[in-house]
Amino acid sequence: MSLRSSCSPLLLVLFALFLTAHCKFPTLDHIKPGASDKAQSRAVAELLKRLLGNRSAEFIVSVNGSLSNHSRDVCELRYTKNNKILATGSTGVAVATGIYNYLKYFCSCHVSWSGDQLDLPSPLPKLTGVLRINTPHRFRYYQNVCTFSYSSVWWDWPRWEREIDWMALNGINLPLAFTGQESVWQEVYRTLGLNQSEIEEFFSGPAFLAWNRMGNMLKFGGPLPQSWHMNQLYLQFKILERMRSFGMIPVLPAFSGNIPKGILRLFPDANVTRLGPWSHFNCSFSCSYVLDPRNPLFLRIGSLYLSQMVKQFGTDHIYNTDTFNEMTPPSSDPAYLSAISRSVFASMTAVDPQAVWLMQGWLFFSDAAFWKPAQIQALLHGVPLGRMIVLDLFAETEPIFSYTDSFYGQPFIWCMLQNFGGNSGFFGTVESINSGPFKALQFPNSTLVGVGIAPEGIEQNPVIYELMTELAWRKQPVNLLKWVSLYAIRRYGSTQENLPAAWMLLFSSVYNCTTPHYKNHNHSPLVRRPSFRMNSDLWYDPADLYKAWKLIIEAAPPLMSKETFRHDLVDVTRQVLQVLTTSFYLDILDAYNKQKLPGLMTAGGVLVYDLLPELSHLLNSNRNFLLGTWLERARSMALDEREAQIYDMNARNQLTLWGPSGEILDYASKEWGGLMEDYYTQRWALFVNMLVECLDSGRPFKQDTFNQAVFQVEKGFVYNGRRYPTKPQGDTYEIARRIFLKYYPQALERL
C-alpha cells in the first residue's frame, strides 16, 4: 500500500516536514564513485609511479568502498614486515590523500605547482599501529568557472594529468569538468538550425570563454577554430576518465539560458531578454541574449544540450549552471525567482532524474543590493531541498551561510576563493580559513556538506592551498605557526632554522589579512596603469617581509639545487620589489607635487632604470615566472599561423587590456619576465618622462593625455609579435643577492 493512498494531506505535509528535519539530504546518497575499487586502486598505483618512480613499489594500494562512513572518506596506513606501506581507503582519492599525508609528515616530502621535494628516506619510516586519516566532509570541491580561462586555458594533457594527480593527493573529490563544452554547444546549435557564422559570432576566443559561458560577453577574441573544438573534446574525454578513475565526481556544465542572437531568427516568439553592457564592454561584445527559463524553448535547448553531454561523457549526476552571474534579474518578485530556478532544474531532471544542481553563491555577494533574504530564499526554494548544492564561494571573507540560515536548508560547501584574476603576489587569510570551516560545521542547523577551494587563478601561493586542502581532513584548527614551520622543512627538505623562522614571519603578516571585506586584487602600483590616485595601502607590516627576505637570502647557498627553494627565493624577492615600487611611486608623487625636478628624476630614474630591470632579470631566471611559457603554450594549440595569431592575441590581451580598449585593464596582471620589461616598465617610463616634461615646461600633468599615450604602449605590447624566452636565463642566486645588497638597506630606511 502506498503512503499516498492511506494518509490524509495533513499527514503527508507533516511527514515531509519530518523528512526535512531529520533526514538531512537523503537525495545525495546516489552521488558516489562510478569506478570499481580495483580501477581506483590501479589509478593510485599509476599516480605513485609518476610521482615516485621505482620507489612507488614500496607502497601497496587497496581501495575498499565499504570502509566509508556515511560517504565520508577514510584511509588507513600500516607498515608491513617487508618495509612497505599498505594503504587501504574508501576511494582512490582517500588512498592518495592518506599516502600524501604520510609523505608529508613522516618523510618530509612535498608536491606543489612550483616544484616537488621528494627526497624519500630509505627504508620508508616505520608506522607503529594504524595511521588513520578521515574527513568530516562529504565533498572537497575544487576550481572556479574562471580558472579555465585564467589558468588552464592552454593546458595540454601532461599538464592536466599533473593537476589531476595534485587533486587526488590533496583530497579533491568534486572538481569542475568544463573543458570542451563549446564542441557540444556547436552540435546543439547546428541541430536547432543555426548557421556557422551565427555560431562564430557568439563564441569568444579561448582566453575569454569563462565569461562567454556565463552570458557576460560574446565574440571578443574569436572566432574559435574547429581544431580548438576537436582538441578540447579530446582533452575532456581524458580528463573525465582520469578524474573518475580516482573516484572523483566530476561536475558537468548545464544550460543557463545564455543564447546566440541567431536563436531569435529561428524562434522569433521566444521570450528573450537582452541584457545591458557588462563591465565597461559595449554591445559589440556584450549585451547578451538570455532566454526566459519559463519559456518552453528553454527546456528544449537545455535538455537537448544536457542529453548530448551525458551521451558523450556519461554523468555523475552533478551539474553546474549560474543563471544571474553579475547580472541583475529583471524582477525581484519571489514568485518569479522561484519559477526561474524551478525551470532551470527541470531542464536537468528532464534528462537526468537524479540531477543535483551545483550553484555558485557569488551572485548573493556581488549584487547584495538585489539579493535580500526573500529573493535568496525564493531562488533556492525553487529546487527541492537536497537537490541543490550552493558554493559559498568567498566564505573566508564574505560568508553567506551565516545570514541565510545555512542557505535556507539547501546543502552548501564552504569555499576559499583566495585569488582574483590569477594575480601574482603574496596573499592569504590564514586565521580565517583555519577557523571558518569549523564554525560552519558548528553553525545551528548547519547544512554544510563540504569545503572547497575556488580561486579564479592558480599557480601562486601554494602554501595557502596546501593548508586549505589539509584542513578538510582535520577535526579542529591547526596551530598555524607550528604547521607552517613543518611546511618549510618539507618544502625544502632542510632543517635549517632560518626557513621556519622566515615562514612564521610571512604567516603572521602578508599571509594573514584580517582587513574586513578585503578582496585580493593585486592593487600594487607596479602592475597598474600609473596615475596620481594609485592604491598604496598594505594589510601587513613590510618589516616582517624584509626580515623573512633576509633569512631566506642567508639560507640560500646550499639550497639552490632545490626547485622549490629557487621558486620561493624569486617569489619573496619579487614581493619585496613590489612593495618598494610603491615606495618609489610615492617619492615620485611627492617630488612632482613639490616641484622638485632633481628628486623626481632620482626616484623615477631608480625605478625605471634599475629596480624594474633588476626585477625583470630575476623573473627571467626561473621557469615559473616566464611570459614566454604562457605564450608558447597558447601558440602550440594552433594548426597554422592564423590560429597561432588568434591564440597569441588572446593570451596577451587577457593579461593586460582585458578587452579591446582596456575594459577590465590589468585585472589579470602577472609579474612575469617579458611582461615586466615590455609592458609594466614601459608604462612607468612614459609616466616619469611625462611628469619630468611637465615640471620642465610648467604645464600641468593631464591624466587623459597620459591615458591616450599609454594605451598605445599597452596595445603595442598585445600586437608586438615578439617571441619571449621559454627557458630561464641567468643565475637566480646571484641576481637575488645583488638585489638584496642594493635594496635591503633602502627598504629598512623606508620603513
Side-chain angles (χ1 to χ4, degrees), residues 144-159:
N144 180 304
V145 293
C146 299
T147 322
F148 293 90
S149 290
Y150 284 135
S151 294
S152 59
V153 55
W154 312 121
W155 286 1
D156 55 12
W157 170 242
R159 181 62 188 86

Side-chain angles (χ1 to χ4, degrees), residues 281-296:
F281 277 83
N282 64 34
C283 286
S284 301
F285 298 117
S286 68
C287 306
S288 299
Y289 294 90
V290 178
L291 180 60
D292 190 315
R294 300 168 300 176
N295 191 294

Side-chain angles (χ1 to χ4, degrees), residues 1 17 111 216 323 362 438 475 615 632 639 660:
M1 183 185 291
L17 288 171
V111 176
N216 302 131
T323 43
W362 178 252
F438 303 100
K475 293 175 183 58
L615 177 53
E632 193 53 44
L639 284 185

Side-chain angles (χ1 to χ4, degrees), residues 313-331:
F313 304 127
T315 186
D316 298 87
H317 308 297
I318 301 187
Y319 308 95
N320 166 260
T321 191
D322 296 294
T323 43
F324 300 115
N325 183 69
E326 298 185 5
M327 301 181 285
T328 302
S331 168

Side-chain angles (χ1 to χ4, degrees), residues 216-237:
N216 302 131
M217 62 182 292
L218 55 139
K219 190 179 177 180
F220 179 69
L224 276 184
Q226 290 306 306
S227 64
W228 174 266
H229 294 305
M230 296 304 296
N231 181 51
Q232 297 297 294
L233 197 61
Y234 158 80
L235 277 175
Q236 176 74 334
F237 280 120

